[in-house]
Amino acid sequence: MTDEADDLEINEDALQRIQNGVLDAEETQLSYRKPHDIIPELETIIEEEIRPEDVPRATEE
Amino acid sequence: MKLDTLTLENFRQFRDGSIEFSTDPDKNITVIHGQNGAGKTTLLNAFLWAFYEDLQSVKRPDRLANQGEMAAVNVGESVSVSVELTFEHEDSYHRVRREHAYRKTDDDDLAGERIESSFTVEYEQEDGSLTTPKNPDAYIRQIVPKDLAGLFFFDGEYISDLSGIDNQGEIQDAIRQMMGLTIMDRAIRHLDTVEHNFRDDLQKYASDDLKELIQRRNELDEKIQSLEQKQDDKKKEKARLREEVSDINRVLDGLDETQELSQTRSEKEDEKKQKQAEISEINQQIEQEVSKHGFLPFILPAIRETAEDIDELREQGKIPSELDNEFVEELLTDGHCICERPLVEDSDPYEAVSGYKTDVSASGLDQAAIQYISRLSHVNENHDQFFETVEGLVDERKGIEEEIQNLTEEIDNLSTKIQDLTDEAGLTGLEEEVQGLSIDAQTSPSDLESARSEKKEQIKELERRIGGLDTEIDNKKEELADLEDEISEAREEAHEAEVAKYRMHAARSVKEELESYYKRFQDTVRRRANNRVDDTFSKVATKNYEAQITDEFKLRVVDSEYKNPIDVDKSRGERQIASLSFIGSLVDVAREQYEEKDDAEYFTGGIYPIVMDSPFGALDSDHRRDVSLILPELADQVTVLVTDTQWDGTVEEAMSDRIGCEYVLEFDENGGPDDMPVTEIAERGLEVTH
């Protein structure tokens, strides 16, 4: 299986929501005096927009 | 942010005092005069302390409280130190107050021990009421990020270093933060990590297993088909041989010499088949019996032991032995005693059992014990019955097997007799019939019988092979089912990998979009700042120099006479002017961004004041005039702290029209309590002469 992902089609609205969610999270993070690990938060934002049922199943036969 | 007032209480040499900043856009300069040591730098530090509790540039930060007050109070008493700032931010009144209390610990203690501290921020809401943010520190840092404070509250003597190599990184960070680029910068960096994490997931789930498994499954499918085909061929061959045997039988049945023997043999063979079918049926019955009651021989010892234990308890009187009325009623209703004797109404057994009924109720435990023992006796009976049944079936099978054995011998004898017939007994009269069959027309009955035996053997061999193929096919099908499970699992993992790939792609797409946006916006900011710097610088620069902001947001001054501008060795004056122009350009760009607010939600910019200590540093007269020309243009609100030497006639003349408020710091070395130094703040023209 290749990790080349250039040919994948992802809904533009979903990408826009991810972008807004990420920037909001970063802005909130900046207001904290003791920043937390933001990576899991960003991963969750993406996971909520790209759910397993949204991804087509590969046909390999 | 637009500054309104600054109020000090016991802060260093200031016992009390306040400054009102000019908010008039046409007279946007507030000038604070003070000789060296009067407290100009302390005033500058008051901003940083109030906002961030920052005392880094303060000498003896432990002596924050006014020494005169500390000297005046008794040991154990405390002195309150505070700085209060009021300002307008986004059309809303704000008040920031930081306060510490220091307790005097002994007679010589002028620093005191800090016993209390507080930080209060409140702002006016739309309805006019005041409110306090949940996190005052974070709130203030959002309005004026600490990293940017050095750009707005600074010592002019060091401002020329702004174009120095060492400070460029700090300046770049400040610019990024000021423009909101920090959020984007961080998002890009973090999305890169997120993309890598999803790539790790992809590699964890992705493998060539599925492909290999599917390949194996296809091969196994083909193998099963091939075996089934082979088995089918064998079955056809068997059918063909059976047909040939049947043909031979028909010929043998038609010959006078063999007719009786052949027909008898056929009957015996039919009988043998019947018996074999009976054996199959008996085997099935045994199998059913074992699966239903086969456990009994294994559990009976444990059951017997338990029954004995309970019985022993009953004998010892540990379990009451009276029979439960309910139990007796059940036996009478069922019509069977625990000994399996029928209980018919009015019969003796019925009356006997009925007589066990007592007036005393047995305990729950007694009842349970009785029921248990009753059931145990049933189990015992079932166990015996199981053995009887199985033994009976085995005996029956044995008898049938003997019958089959006898039939086989009889069939063999009949076959031998047919075989032993002489060749003279030809196939006369049957030639035509034989010709239509798959046997030689010239063959004698003996030969026919040999051929029959041979074919029978072949049929047996084929049956053995068909059986073998059956087993092999079953095994392969079992293997196929396992493989299908593995494929299903691998397919799920492949989907997980596919999902990770999509998420990785999403992270990368958003990151690339932000990078592109970041670059475009950074270019816009740089272009605006560049134009502003050059504009400001060219107004006052005495030589043919240009100030530029590079792609990396570095400030440089170049000689514009050359077609390819080259860095020039800047004089202190040029450096100072360039640095101030630079700050002014950033304030300007931030303000433009704030006012437009349509470029992006996250690039908010802002309105910032500038507070400068000694903006003219040690500049010569010409450069002081140049700087005084650009100062009012640097920001909406500019506060300068100057000595009289710096504030010479040229400067005063250049700035007089723009001054909104003017103060003097009056320093008295022995004017405070206990002859300690003190500085008072007075409006210009109202100062007291000491």
Side-chain angles (χ1 to χ4, degrees):
Chain A
M1 182 173 285
T2 171
D3 63 359
E4 283 310 314
D6 293 337
D7 55 342
L8 300 181
E9 281 185 17
I10 299 179
N11 183 295
E12 285 299 322
D13 290 342
L15 289 177
Q16 190 59 51
R17 284 194 297 273
I18 290 171
Q19 181 173 313
N20 293 342
V22 166
L23 292 173
D24 282 344
E26 292 288 0
E27 192 182 29
T28 308
Q29 165 98 343
L30 268 184
S31 67
Y32 295 148
R33 290 194 79 171
K34 288 183 180 172
H36 59 281
D37 181 8
I38 199 171
I39 301 296
E41 200 179 325
L42 302 191
E43 285 175 352
T44 304
I45 290 169
I46 293 175
E47 283 163 1
E48 282 172 357
E49 287 298 335
I50 315 271
R51 294 168 303 172
E53 56 268 34
D54 301 329
V55 175
R57 288 188 172 265
T59 51
E60 300 200 21
E61 289 177 72
Chain B
M1 172 190 272
K2 194 178 282 182
L3 296 169
D4 283 332
T5 60
L6 170 72
T7 305
L8 309 171
E9 181 196 12
N10 295 324
F11 186 77
R12 307 282 282 188
Q13 66 265 52
F14 295 93
R15 284 184 68 197
D16 54 42
S18 66
I19 290 169
E20 204 169 302
F21 299 94
S22 172
T23 52
D24 182 345
D26 296 325
K27 293 177 179 290
N28 62 332
I29 303 285
T30 299
V31 185
I32 300 167
H33 301 269
Q35 297 308 313
N36 288 333
K40 296 192 299 301
T41 306
T42 302
L43 270 187
L44 187 69
N45 284 323
F47 286 95
L48 302 176
W49 189 72
F51 282 144
Y52 318 109
E53 205 178 357
D54 184 7
L55 289 170
Q56 281 181 3
S57 57
V58 173
K59 289 174 188 167
R60 297 295 307 266
D62 55 321
R63 294 201 170 182
L64 200 63
N66 181 270
Q67 291 188 19
E69 281 301 310
M70 285 303 292
V73 298
N74 296 319
V75 173
E77 290 181 342
S78 62
V79 172
S80 173
V81 178
S82 69
V83 174
E84 184 174 297
L85 269 162
T86 60
F87 59 88
E88 193 183 303
H89 175 66
E90 296 191 338
D91 299 327
S92 166
Y93 164 83
H94 282 66
R95 186 176 74 89
V96 172
R97 180 182 174 84
R98 191 178 294 280
E99 186 170 4
H100 286 180
Y102 293 89
R103 182 169 54 202
K104 187 170 181 172
T105 55
D106 58 55
D107 287 335
D108 299 326
D109 182 16
L110 294 179
E113 174 195 17
R114 193 166 92 183
I115 54 170
E116 275 179 32
S117 62
S118 65
F119 181 55
T120 314
V121 176
E122 55 184 19
Y123 61 92
E124 192 180 19
Q125 298 184 103
E126 280 184 10
D127 62 2
S129 63
L130 288 174
T131 189
T132 304
K134 283 180 185 167
N135 185 341
D137 283 314
Y139 183 77
I140 286 300
R141 281 162 201 262
Q142 271 187 329
I143 296 174
V144 191
K146 192 182 175 191
D147 294 343
L148 296 181
L151 285 176
F152 310 127
F153 308 101
F154 59 87
D155 187 339
E157 287 188 22
Y158 302 107
I159 194 64
S160 58
D161 291 343
L162 214 54
S163 58
I165 297 295
D166 293 345
N167 296 314
Q168 296 288 1
E170 198 178 318
I171 295 298
Q172 281 173 281
D173 287 345
I175 293 165
R176 271 198 276 270
Q177 191 156 348
M178 191 163 154
M179 298 304 157
L181 292 174
T182 303
I183 291 171
M184 191 139 295
D185 190 37
R186 286 167 56 90
I188 290 166
R189 242 179 327 112
H190 292 148
L191 280 171
D192 193 56
T193 306
V194 170
E195 184 193 341
H196 278 87
N197 288 353
F198 284 129
R199 184 186 295 276
D200 288 346
D201 281 352
L202 169 63
Q203 281 164 358
K204 185 170 84 182
Y205 292 119
S207 72
D208 293 331
D209 281 359
L210 179 60
K211 212 171 172 183
E212 191 189 316
L213 288 170
I214 289 171
Q215 174 73 19
R216 272 175 56 201
R217 199 267 311 274
N218 292 342
E219 285 169 8
L220 202 55
D221 252 347
E222 281 174 21
K223 179 72 181 170
I224 290 169
Q225 278 177 21
S226 154
L227 287 170
E228 284 174 341
Q229 181 61 47
K230 203 170 169 183
Q231 192 185 42
D232 199 41
D233 291 345
K234 300 280 177 210
K235 282 178 180 171
K236 280 179 183 162
E237 195 181 344
K238 183 182 150 190
R240 183 182 59 76
L241 284 167
R242 276 187 187 282
E243 189 63 31
E244 287 177 9
V245 169
S246 178
D247 287 347
I248 291 171
N249 283 345
R250 208 161 43 249
V251 173
L252 292 174
D253 285 352
L255 285 172
D256 294 341
E257 294 81 356
T258 57
Q259 189 177 49
E260 192 183 338
L261 291 169
S262 179
Q263 283 176 355
T264 308
R265 182 172 63 182
S266 292
E267 286 165 12
K268 296 290 176 192
E269 280 175 344
D270 288 345
E271 200 179 334
K272 186 180 170 183
K273 275 182 194 163
Q274 177 65 32
K275 293 293 171 192
Q276 282 168 333
E278 284 174 23
I279 282 195
S280 294
E281 199 178 324
I282 288 171
N283 282 342
Q284 274 184 2
Q285 284 176 23
I286 292 173
E287 202 175 300
Q288 281 172 5
E289 193 64 24
V290 168
S291 69
K292 198 172 173 186
H293 300 295
F295 67 95
L296 288 170
F298 301 102
I299 64 158
L300 203 63
I303 288 174
R304 278 185 181 143
E305 202 176 319
T306 309
E308 282 166 14
D309 287 347
I310 292 175
D311 220 24
E312 196 180 324
L313 290 170
R314 284 165 61 82
E315 278 175 15
Q316 290 169 0
K318 291 180 180 173
I319 299 175
S321 58
E322 291 88 355
L323 285 172
D324 178 48
N325 283 348
E326 198 180 332
F327 176 60
V328 175
E329 281 294 351
E330 270 180 26
L331 291 179
L332 294 172
T333 310
D334 286 351
H336 284 91
C337 181
I338 55 174
C339 63
E340 288 297 302
R341 189 174 294 176
L343 298 174
V344 182
E345 213 167 331
D346 295 331
S347 68
D348 289 344
Y350 186 92
E351 292 302 324
V353 171
S354 191
Y356 285 117
K357 284 200 276 186
T358 63
D359 293 336
V360 183
S361 295
S363 72
L365 180 60
D366 186 40
Q367 189 178 326
I370 292 165
Q371 286 180 355
Y372 189 66
I373 291 168
S374 162
R375 281 170 193 161
L376 292 187
S377 61
H378 279 301
V379 170
N380 210 3
E381 284 163 18
N382 287 342
H383 170 261
D384 294 343
Q385 199 175 340
F386 165 70
F387 274 108
E388 272 175 32
T389 308
V390 171
E391 277 169 14
L393 287 167
V394 168
D395 286 347
E396 194 182 344
R397 185 174 65 183
K398 199 175 170 189
I400 297 172
E401 279 171 350
E402 278 172 13
E403 285 180 55
I404 289 173
Q405 183 62 35
N406 291 338
L407 283 168
T408 306
E409 281 172 19
E410 283 179 53
I411 290 165
D412 285 349
N413 285 339
L414 288 165
S415 296
T416 308
K417 281 180 185 170
I418 295 171
Q419 180 76 51
D420 289 347
L421 286 173
T422 59
D423 286 349
E424 283 73 27
L427 303 177
T428 318
L430 290 171
E431 288 87 350
E432 279 186 22
E433 193 175 335
V434 170
Q435 272 181 348
L437 304 176
S438 56
I439 50 179
D440 189 343
Q442 301 302 317
T443 309
S444 65
S446 169
D447 288 339
L448 276 178
E449 181 57 29
S450 296
R452 184 182 181 277
S453 296
E454 198 180 316
K455 289 179 195 304
K456 279 276 200 184
E457 279 306 312
Q458 285 173 352
I459 288 171
K460 274 187 190 168
E461 175 61 18
L462 281 172
E463 281 172 346
R464 195 183 58 75
R465 286 190 187 173
I466 288 168
L469 284 167
D470 245 348
T471 310
E472 200 176 347
I473 289 168
D474 284 349
N475 289 342
K476 294 285 178 201
K477 282 186 172 171
E478 213 169 293
E479 202 180 319
L480 185 66
D482 290 344
L483 208 50
E484 290 287 7
D485 288 346
E486 277 187 61
I487 286 170
S488 174
E489 203 174 307
R491 214 185 283 282
E492 274 314 304
E493 289 201 345
H495 187 59
E496 294 275 5
E498 197 67 9
V499 171
K501 194 199 281 186
Y502 268 73
R503 289 172 175 167
M504 186 185 87
H505 179 53
R508 188 192 298 170
S509 298
V510 173
K511 184 187 76 174
E512 285 172 356
E513 176 64 22
L514 290 179
E515 278 172 342
S516 158
Y517 197 73
Y518 181 94
K519 192 172 180 320
R520 284 202 310 273
F521 188 75
Q522 201 175 23
D523 286 346
T524 306
V525 169
R526 194 191 64 78
R527 198 174 56 251
R528 283 183 186 173
N530 204 12
N531 292 341
R532 180 73 161 87
V533 162
D534 192 43
D535 189 40
T536 308
F537 186 78
S538 60
K539 276 183 191 167
V540 295
T542 51
K543 296 175 184 171
N544 203 16
Y545 292 159
E546 283 178 11
Q548 294 178 346
I549 294 174
T550 66
D551 290 346
E552 295 79 33
F553 278 91
K554 289 178 180 173
L555 173 66
R556 67 175 189 171
V557 179
V558 296
D559 192 331
S560 57
E561 277 187 2
Y562 294 88
K563 283 187 179 174
N564 295 320
I566 53 165
D567 288 335
V568 295
D569 183 18
K570 293 159 280 188
S571 72
R572 186 180 174 84
E574 261 72 39
R575 287 210 307 274
Q576 180 114 344
I577 293 167
S579 296
L580 289 173
S581 304
F582 187 44
I583 289 174
S585 70
L586 297 180
V587 171
D588 208 37
V589 171
R591 180 178 50 209
E592 272 182 37
Q593 187 62 33
Y594 175 78
E595 285 167 357
E596 287 177 8
K597 271 195 176 177
D598 60 352
D599 215 339
E601 188 184 342
Y602 300 95
F603 302 140
T604 52
I607 292 175
Y608 300 101
I610 290 180
V611 180
M612 287 179 281
D613 181 16
S614 304
F616 307 102
L619 298 176
D620 59 37
S621 177
D622 287 346
H623 282 113
R624 278 206 293 275
R625 191 197 61 241
D626 295 341
V627 168
S628 64
L629 285 173
I630 63 168
L631 276 179
E633 311 300 330
L634 290 182
D636 285 359
Q637 199 179 30
V638 179
T639 300
V640 291
L641 299 115
V642 291
T643 61
D644 285 344
T645 318
Q646 293 165 347
W647 194 257
D648 64 8
T650 319
V651 172
E652 190 166 10
E653 191 184 333
M655 294 185 70
S656 58
D657 289 346
R658 303 297 299 270
I659 296 170
C661 295
E662 207 167 358
Y663 293 88
V664 177
L665 302 182
E666 296 181 320
F667 178 69
D668 187 345
E669 199 167 356
N670 308 108
D674 216 23
D675 293 335
M676 289 294 181
V678 70
T679 296
E680 287 179 11
I681 302 169
E683 282 188 54
R684 183 75 181 254
L686 299 176
E687 59 268 37
V688 179
T689 307
H690 295 283

